[in-house]
Amino acid sequence: MTTVSSMFSAKLVVPAIGDAFRKLHPRALVRNPVLFTTAVVALLLTVLLAVGGEPLPLGFQVQLIGWLWLTVLFGTFAEALAEGRGRAQAASLRATKSDLVARLPDGSTIAASALRRGDEVVVETGDLIPADGEVIAGVAAVNEAAITGESAPVIREAGGDRSAVTAGTRVISDAIRVRVTQEPGQGFLDRMIALVEGAERQKTPNEIALTILLVGLTIIFLIAVATIPSFASYAGGHIPVAVLAALLITLIPTTIAALLSAIGIAGMDRLVRFNVLAKSGRAVEAAGDVDVLLLDKTGTITIGDRQASEFRPLAGVQAGVLAQAAMLASLADETPEGRSIVVLAREGFGAAATRLPDDAEIIPFTAQTRISGVKSSAGLIRKGAVDAILRAHPEAASSAAAAELRRIAEDIARSGQTPLAVAQDGRLLGVIALKDVIKAGVRERFSELRRMGIRTVMITGDNPLTAASIAAEAGVDDFLAEATPEDKLALIRKEQQGGKLVAMCGDGTNDAPALAQADVGVAMNTGTQAAREAGNMVDLDSDPTKLIEIVGLGKQLLMTRGALTTFSVANDVAKYFAIIPAMFVVLYPGLGVLNVMKLASPESAILSAIIFNALIIPALVPLALKGVTYRPMGAGPLLARNLAVYGLGGLVAPFVGIKAIDLAVAGLNLV
Amino acid sequence: MTIEGWTLILLFTALTIALAKPVGVFLFALYEGRSTPLHPVLGPVERGFYRLAGVRPDAEQSWRAYALHMLLFQLVLTVFTYALLRLQAVLPLNPRGLAAVGPDGAMNTAIAFVTNTNWQWYAGEGTLSNLSQMVALTIHNFLSAATGIAIAFALFRGFARREAGTIGNFWADCTRVTLYLLLPACVIYALFLVASGVPQTLASSIDATTLEGAKQTLILGPVASQEAIKMLGTNGGGFFNANSAHPFENPTALTNLVQMLSIFAIGSGLTWCFGKAVGNTRQGWAILAAMMVLFLTGAGIAYWQEAAGNPVLHNLGVAGGNMEGKEVRFGIAASALFSVVTTAASCGAVNAMHDSFTALGGVIPLFNMQLGEIVVGGVGAGIYGFLLFALLAVFIAGLMVGRTPEYVGKKIEAREVKLAVLAIAVLPLCILGFTAISAVLPAGLAGPLNKGPHGFTEILYAYSSGTGNNGSAFAGLTAGTPFYNGLLGIAMWIGRFFMIVPALAIAGSLAAKKYTPETAGSFPTTGPLWIGLLVAIILIVGGLTFLPGLALGPIADHLAMISGRLF
């Protein structure tokens, strides 16, 4: 959890102050039209002060102008601070990047930055991989801690789904030949640095729309303020430019404008801290809009390994016999499934043997036979898929026992479990039921998602019977059984035609079309280069469950923008009531009744409103950087809550704040 | 304030809400181009018109074509009206032998009627011939109303259609609305008015003997026919200068109630029609509810202020509410209510002089117009104006549910925001901008009759009325000068078409978008929360802009009145 103190640590704040001044450059400032307007007004008043054209007390003018400049600086500071935090994140990445050296196949070495797409390099034990690429020869263990923070090495090999390597990661055994897949400056690491730094940051569609709204409001309020001198002259008076300027600046949405880019950068930064890289800000926004989540069953909904849950002997076979045989067949099986069979046999049936007979000969599992087992003086025990066992025992295939075996197996499948047949010396004994274990808490997650209006679809290679049962148990809304990559793609297209936004994650090359088609495609870092290219996000931890959190982060980003916009607009009511009476009381003394806050004097009222308007920016910086609190709930309650906090809060807060500042201003005799 | 007064206001509100669905059902049939019970009779007429004009009613138009055809049509009508007014002296049906209307006046009037404003700088009976009244003006009462409804239909289609390139056919929309809705309704309505005592004749006047035995010449004319569409089409331009305060325009308490209801009838029906068009009538009800909240608040304040009366007069021993400028026949409640109704909608008919309202009673009509007349609003114009605010509200607050803002299944993005803000900015630009010019230039300062803040209010009111296409006058302002005729003409034109064209562009942009189905995560645009939010955004964004002007006008006026000073 980021605390406010760490957010404002000197290491970040000091450079941010310098950057805040650098960002005053008109070319940088014009990207933010509201702040630009504020700066122009501040400049105008500064010039007017210099030529002495205003009939106002000097101290009042100086303070007013000072606070206007501070308003601008607070805005540029907020952005600089957000960038600084991103940059700190990037700095460690950049360190690994800076001194990479590439070894070419002919033995010569060049700087990694000189590598072009298509170049081939050789990386040996202990070397850092110089550029993003694809393994074209060899197998190696690679430590990707620099990127993922995970110290256990991963295997990278030519061909297949694990051929992608990332610049800055270290080969810790063997040697591989890598073909570079990125032009210099566009690699993974470069993109990540650019995103968190904000240097190359482009405005996202929603940010652009919001900026247009803010400009529109600025124009409307500009019209409202610019016409006042004429109205005042009708009433036989004159309003000083500085007072008009104060009204304008308090009315235009400086608060949200100042924080807008900080919110965007911070949102991106939160994602990076979460070890997810988005290739664009647009993808993060899309994550908030997602309507349908396609989730792979294994690893996301169920824990990867199945657990033995039951022994189902055939008629005439004692359960203990089946358990004993199943245990013997599994003792040498080091997979979690095999271990779970041993545990169940021992705990459920008190099966005695703890180790294999000395003369035991292990029959290993192969993809061809799909059978494993053990051969010893106790006989030949085999376990495997039901059809595989029956094939291995052709003599029993048409017997009544085989029919019963099939019936039991089907029964088990219908309950969402996987059947595993056991036979001893040619005799069919029964079936072990292997149960998919639903991850703790996923059911609640899915009902949360449902409340948020997000549908979850489970993708699995299981048959429809098993899939339906697991889907029901896990509480997903729908499932796609016996799913092929084409099915996935078709499902995504179908949902999108219905106007839905779809998110999915995937890792294999055959996932690439679906990842590209999905509105939010999260590629696993362990996946192929093709998958990583196709998706618009990459999860460095390769954890498919994160899709749910990514949606949350997207929503949080949008909510933060909305909340601060609403707050900023609602603020205007109080500011009107501070400045309008102060401005017009000289024309019509009766208008003093509009001074509902009973502010001490017109000058103090105007100054207090401007000070509030300036100070609210740094006060809201922590919120902008952390994001508003996000709880999964339906849109109705969410809106009610946020409207109460930021709408009503935005209405009331400035009344209190301006009054308090006015007391201080009057108490200190500042005007 | 009296029980009767409040009963009238609440009864009126209930009747308006009750009208929404029946009128909406009929409008929806026209919106879809489906058959109505009138088709067997009028269908051949419709088809005949299309053949005559070479229009293919099923030829769908893109928003650009729709806008272009609409604009050309308005331009031709404006020029035609201008020419007719300039030539009225030599044209027939001019029994009172009136002279041609001057160029600035004719330009102003042509625009006023084409834009559904019906701003009248003149006294109708003394300036316009019967031909001008019937042909040049009454025609617009129908066509400008039909145009407004057509634009609303086009915008509805933008929300309702999915990935479509077109938003309907302007000529078909206009013809259907005029032929099946406005004309038949007005025939019945006019007959009702005639039965209630409103004249309908080509005779120019009648001599009456008063109780004292004196002779009085009463001007007559085809009043009932103009009266019907004047209200139903929210036009507001009366046959007589006194408008609906004149006994020949509005003779009884019943005609008064019916007139007010007919102002709101189509606007209220359009909210239901919108809901139906986007596939969820609750969307329409939510809009009507927000409108009614704003309306009842306004009506309540106006009635309260008028009933409270003038403390300066109270001190002089004159008890009771403010009856200055009101018809004794109608009294305070019916007059205050009428003033709120006519300005909430862009009608502009009046049955009392708004200039004579108390300062704060007069603020409500003024503020209603400055909001853009979106509280029920002018036929068509009210709902499309309101929808622009709805888009803005969705965009400002919609992000707070963590999704890209959506409204009735359409994502609201940069283009829509840009166009909506552009359209909404037109209101302060024209109202405040032109008021500012008029408040400093001698030609402008010559206008107001009264001094001080009240005079300022007169100017502000005129431009609010013109830009909002309302047409009601605050009185007191001498507006028939080239200066005011010119600036108000521009204000009316901009206020109408700088809203319509962006609205059509939004329609085009929305129609092309995919439909996003509503889920539990979608921003809720029905229910009390949304209604409250809409009202708040309309008041803050649409209303606060005018606070400085209101403070220097009616509010200062009111405060002066409290301290015993009148203007």
Side-chain angles (χ1 to χ4, degrees):
Chain A
M1 198 71 206
T2 323
T3 61
V4 174
S5 59
S6 79
M7 202 176 283
F8 285 117
S9 77
K11 225 163 63 192
L12 288 172
V13 168
V14 174
I17 291 174
D19 284 344
F21 279 97
R22 264 188 289 284
K23 283 172 181 287
L24 289 181
H25 192 289
R27 202 161 354 136
L29 210 52
V30 82
R31 273 169 59 96
N32 190 330
V34 180
L35 278 191
F36 185 74
T37 307
T38 312
V40 168
V41 168
L43 191 64
L44 175 75
L45 293 192
T46 313
V47 171
L48 276 179
L49 179 70
V51 300
E54 291 273 270
L56 288 170
L58 186 69
F60 172 69
Q61 282 193 69
V62 169
Q63 288 184 67
L64 191 66
I65 293 167
W67 282 106
L68 286 184
W69 281 117
L70 270 179
T71 309
V72 182
L73 278 172
F74 285 148
T76 53
F77 171 76
E79 187 179 305
L81 188 62
E83 284 178 7
R85 275 157 49 91
R87 206 175 293 130
Q89 186 87 355
S92 56
L93 298 172
R94 203 193 286 280
T96 56
K97 172 101 183 168
S98 57
D99 44 328
L100 291 179
V101 173
R103 197 196 314 265
L104 298 179
D106 61 12
S108 62
T109 56
I110 60 167
S113 53
L115 288 173
R116 319 282 312 179
R117 183 201 290 263
D119 287 351
E120 287 176 19
V121 294
V122 175
V123 194
E124 292 173 356
T125 307
D127 289 351
L128 285 170
I129 295 172
D132 287 4
E134 201 163 2
V135 182
I136 52 172
V139 183
V142 179
N143 183 338
E144 298 193 335
I147 301 288
T148 63
E150 171 61 57
S151 55
V154 291
I155 299 298
R156 292 282 176 249
E157 59 190 340
D161 284 353
R162 295 192 292 183
S163 61
V165 289
T166 308
T169 56
R170 189 180 298 277
V171 172
I172 54 174
S173 77
D174 305 301
I176 45 175
R177 203 170 157 136
V178 173
R179 185 191 294 126
V180 177
T181 52
Q182 291 292 342
E183 292 293 344
Q186 312 209 323
F188 217 63
L189 209 51
D190 303 289
R191 243 177 348 211
M192 183 156 160
I193 290 172
L195 271 176
V196 291
E197 264 196 343
E200 302 282 316
R201 222 174 68 86
Q202 285 190 323
K203 283 187 178 151
T204 60
N206 179 262
E207 242 179 320
I208 292 171
L210 195 50
T211 306
I212 290 172
L213 174 78
L214 301 183
V215 172
L217 291 177
T218 305
I219 292 172
I220 289 176
F221 288 122
L222 198 59
I223 296 169
V225 173
T227 49
I228 289 177
S230 151
F231 298 176
S233 102
Y234 183 93
H238 168 78
I239 310 286
V241 179
V243 175
L244 292 170
L247 179 62
L248 177 67
I249 299 307
T250 50
L251 291 182
I252 64 176
T254 45
T255 313
I256 176 65
L259 298 172
L260 190 56
S261 56
I263 295 170
I265 297 167
M268 201 64 101
D269 187 46
R270 271 198 298 280
L271 207 59
V272 171
R273 276 161 208 269
F274 199 57
N275 266 353
V276 176
L277 293 191
K279 294 185 186 164
S280 68
R282 186 188 283 260
V284 188
E285 276 175 12
D289 285 349
V290 160
D291 303 290
V292 181
L293 279 186
L294 303 191
L295 297 169
D296 282 322
K297 181 197 80 173
T298 308
T300 309
I301 296 170
T302 62
I303 59 175
D305 313 306
R306 290 182 272 229
Q307 304 279 312
S309 66
E310 199 185 355
F311 294 115
R312 297 275 299 269
L314 295 182
V317 179
Q318 284 197 333
V321 174
L322 173 62
Q324 182 76 22
M327 188 186 70
L328 282 173
S330 306
L331 272 174
D333 181 350
E334 280 302 314
T335 65
E337 286 176 16
R339 281 202 297 268
S340 78
I341 294 172
V342 174
V343 169
L344 182 70
R346 202 175 284 154
E347 291 176 356
F349 298 88
T354 52
R355 49 189 204 91
L356 287 170
D358 292 336
D359 61 343
E361 184 191 324
I362 310 294
I363 305 168
F365 178 88
T366 69
Q368 279 73 38
T369 62
R370 295 196 289 149
I371 285 177
S372 64
V374 62
K375 191 175 179 179
S376 69
S377 49
L380 169 68
I381 306 172
R382 291 193 282 194
K383 71 175 187 343
V386 173
D387 56 337
I389 289 289
L390 289 177
R391 208 176 312 117
H393 299 86
E395 68 285 353
S398 53
S399 66
E404 194 191 353
L405 189 78
R406 283 208 187 85
R407 196 180 47 70
I408 295 175
E410 209 168 287
D411 197 38
I412 289 173
R414 198 170 299 119
S415 70
Q417 307 187 63
T418 307
L420 207 59
V422 182
Q424 185 167 24
D425 297 328
R427 179 185 172 212
L428 300 175
L429 291 181
V431 187
I432 311 168
L434 293 176
K435 188 178 167 47
D436 256 318
V437 182
I438 308 283
K439 280 189 171 178
V442 289
R443 218 190 148 79
E444 290 70 35
R445 295 292 286 279
F446 293 146
S447 62
E448 262 175 18
L449 287 169
R450 202 169 304 117
R451 275 201 299 281
M452 289 156 60
I454 298 173
R455 236 159 52 84
T456 44
V457 180
M458 180 181 85
I459 309 288
T460 170
D462 291 340
N463 65 58
L465 279 180
T466 311
S469 160
I470 297 175
E473 192 180 345
V476 293
D477 297 293
D478 205 350
F479 64 88
L480 186 67
E482 290 169 348
T484 62
E486 294 75 35
D487 293 341
K488 263 197 212 180
L489 188 60
L491 179 69
I492 294 174
R493 290 215 168 114
K494 196 186 101 208
E495 293 286 358
Q496 286 174 334
Q497 257 147 32
K500 304 278 181 65
L501 258 64
V502 184
M504 67 163 287
C505 51
D507 52 4
T509 298
N510 53 16
D511 281 331
L515 279 172
Q517 179 73 35
D519 301 281
V520 176
V522 183
M524 300 293 103
N525 195 39
T526 52
T528 59
Q529 188 68 27
R532 298 191 337 186
E533 283 298 312
N536 47 17
M537 290 191 198
V538 177
D539 176 19
L540 299 173
D541 299 336
S542 303
D543 171 9
T545 327
K546 272 203 200 160
L547 205 48
I548 300 172
E549 273 85 8
I550 291 172
V551 170
L553 285 174
K555 285 196 179 297
Q556 191 187 26
L557 170 68
L558 294 174
M559 274 166 53
T560 309
R561 264 188 214 142
L564 291 178
T565 308
T566 307
F567 186 85
S568 194
V569 171
N571 271 200
D572 277 359
V573 178
K575 294 171 186 169
Y576 261 117
F577 278 100
I579 296 187
I580 293 282
M583 187 183 248
F584 290 151
V585 79
V586 287
L587 303 177
Y588 298 111
L591 285 174
V593 296
L594 291 180
N595 181 7
V596 289
M597 285 174 269
K598 303 274 171 268
L599 304 178
S601 71
E603 285 80 13
S604 143
I606 291 165
L607 197 60
S608 302
I610 275 288
I611 292 176
F612 177 84
N613 191 56
L615 288 181
I616 196 74
I617 297 172
L620 289 175
V621 161
L623 184 66
L625 295 187
K626 269 172 65 181
V628 303
T629 321
Y630 162 75
R631 283 195 204 92
M633 54 172 112
L638 200 58
L639 180 66
R641 179 178 170 276
N642 285 337
L643 264 185
V645 176
Y646 300 101
L648 281 184
L651 220 49
V652 175
F655 278 104
V656 179
I658 291 175
K659 178 68 188 172
I661 295 170
D662 177 73
L663 287 175
V665 167
L668 296 172
N669 280 324
L670 289 179
V671 287
Chain B
M1 287 184 284
T2 59
I3 301 282
E4 289 83 352
W6 282 110
T7 310
L8 176 69
I9 292 173
L10 293 176
L11 173 72
F12 172 78
T13 308
L15 287 173
T16 300
I17 295 170
L19 276 175
K21 188 171 174 184
V23 177
V25 167
F26 191 79
L27 282 164
F28 185 64
L30 298 180
Y31 162 82
E32 289 217 303
R34 279 194 290 110
S35 189
T36 67
L38 296 173
H39 270 70
V41 187
L42 296 173
V45 183
E46 183 191 359
R47 287 190 291 278
F49 263 123
Y50 293 149
R51 258 197 302 281
L52 219 61
V55 168
R56 281 185 32 234
D58 51 353
E60 288 275 334
Q61 296 172 319
S62 68
W63 81 263
R64 282 195 175 81
Y66 201 102
L68 193 69
H69 286 221
M70 183 272 305
L71 280 176
L72 283 175
F73 183 51
Q74 308 299 324
L75 206 64
V76 169
L77 285 174
T78 311
V79 171
F80 164 77
T81 310
Y82 177 81
L84 209 74
L85 294 175
R86 297 285 288 143
L87 297 173
Q88 78 169 9
V90 296
L91 291 172
L93 287 177
N94 186 5
R96 291 184 292 277
L98 296 165
V101 184
D104 58 293
M107 183 278 267
N108 182 286
T109 303
I111 293 178
F113 280 77
V114 164
T115 57
N116 194 256
T117 313
N118 295 22
W119 171 264
Q120 291 166 303
W121 55 268
Y122 51 83
E125 60 271 42
T127 313
L128 300 179
S129 71
N130 284 352
L131 183 78
S132 299
Q133 292 267 20
M134 285 194 300
V135 178
L137 303 190
T138 310
I139 210 176
H140 296 303
N141 287 350
F142 285 92
L143 293 181
S144 67
T147 302
I149 298 172
I151 306 302
F153 281 177
L155 185 55
F156 293 178
R157 290 190 190 104
F159 282 105
R161 291 188 175 174
R162 299 163 189 195
E163 293 165 82
T166 59
I167 53 169
N169 181 303
F170 172 70
W171 304 109
D173 283 341
C174 231
T175 308
R176 284 176 190 145
V177 168
T178 312
L179 190 63
Y180 297 109
L181 176 65
L182 298 178
L183 279 172
C186 283
V187 169
I188 299 167
Y189 192 179
L191 289 176
F192 160 75
L193 289 173
V194 170
S196 306
V198 176
Q200 176 74 12
T201 170
L202 289 180
S204 67
S205 63
I206 186 173
D207 286 340
T209 311
T210 64
L211 284 177
E212 292 88 15
K215 214 165 207 136
Q216 189 180 0
T217 303
L218 302 175
I219 294 178
L220 298 177
V223 182
S225 60
Q226 182 168 341
E227 198 64 16
I229 188 62
K230 162 192 138 189
M231 312 309 284
L232 201 61
T234 61
N235 293 288
F239 189 90
F240 300 103
N241 193 34
N243 209 298
S244 281
H246 195 297
F248 281 174
E249 284 202 20
N250 190 5
T252 66
L254 181 64
T255 56
N256 194 54
L257 179 65
V258 172
Q259 291 203 347
M260 289 190 291
L261 276 177
S262 59
I263 295 175
F264 270 4
I266 295 179
S268 162
L270 278 169
T271 61
W272 192 88
C273 179
F274 170 73
K276 186 75 183 164
V278 299
N280 181 0
T281 49
R282 290 180 57 205
Q283 300 283 0
W285 288 119
I287 291 180
L288 187 61
M291 288 173 168
M292 286 299 119
V293 169
L294 287 164
F295 167 72
L296 274 176
T297 312
I301 294 175
Y303 179 41
W304 165 49
Q305 282 300 315
E306 290 307 298
N310 187 332
V312 177
L313 293 181
H314 293 169
N315 289 340
L316 295 174
V318 183
N322 174 28
M323 276 303 291
E324 181 193 325
K326 292 189 180 61
E327 281 279 289
V328 182
R329 301 183 291 136
F330 300 131
I332 291 173
S335 301
L337 180 61
F338 199 110
S339 77
V340 177
V341 172
T342 195
T343 50
S346 78
C347 183
V350 291
N351 76 348
M353 295 303 115
H354 296 178
D355 187 36
S356 301
F357 275 31
T358 59
L360 289 188
V363 160
I364 299 301
L366 185 56
F367 192 62
N368 269 335
M369 294 188 295
Q370 291 171 338
L371 288 181
E373 289 162 5
I374 51 168
V375 179
V376 182
V379 286
I383 184 105
Y384 65 67
F386 193 94
L387 286 173
L388 295 177
F389 273 106
L391 292 186
L392 216 57
V394 160
F395 193 82
I396 290 175
L399 284 169
M400 283 197 296
V401 303
R403 283 173 71 92
T404 303
E406 296 154 343
Y407 186 55
V408 295
K410 292 299 175 86
K411 281 199 167 23
I412 307 306
E413 291 163 304
R415 189 172 158 76
E416 291 77 40
V417 172
K418 181 159 61 184
L419 291 163
V421 170
L422 191 74
I424 289 170
V426 161
L427 293 165
L429 182 69
C430 286
I431 296 174
L432 297 177
F434 287 145
T435 303
I437 294 172
S438 305
V440 288
L441 293 184
L445 290 169
L449 176 73
N450 301 82
K451 284 195 278 290
H454 197 79
F456 179 75
T457 308
E458 289 168 3
I459 303 177
L460 186 63
Y461 193 100
Y463 289 109
S464 302
S465 176
T467 309
N469 296 141
N470 184 279
S472 74
F474 204 48
L477 184 75
T478 309
T481 63
F483 178 82
Y484 277 105
N485 276 341
L487 281 191
L488 281 165
I490 297 170
M492 289 186 281
W493 189 265
I494 293 179
R496 176 78 165 176
F497 297 110
F498 280 59
M499 288 281 256
I500 285 184
V501 175
L504 286 177
I506 289 176
S509 162
L510 289 176
K513 286 182 193 235
K514 275 189 190 167
Y515 172 76
T516 312
E518 197 182 333
T519 68
S522 306
F523 184 80
T525 53
T526 55
L529 205 59
W530 163 243
I531 295 167
L533 177 69
L534 258 180
V535 170
I537 294 285
I538 288 171
L539 290 179
I540 293 178
V541 176
L544 278 185
T545 324
F546 297 99
L547 190 63
L550 294 175
L552 291 180
I555 296 174
D557 199 3
H558 170 80
L559 295 168
M561 175 183 83
I562 289 177
S563 63
R565 198 156 162 241
L566 298 178
F567 292 96

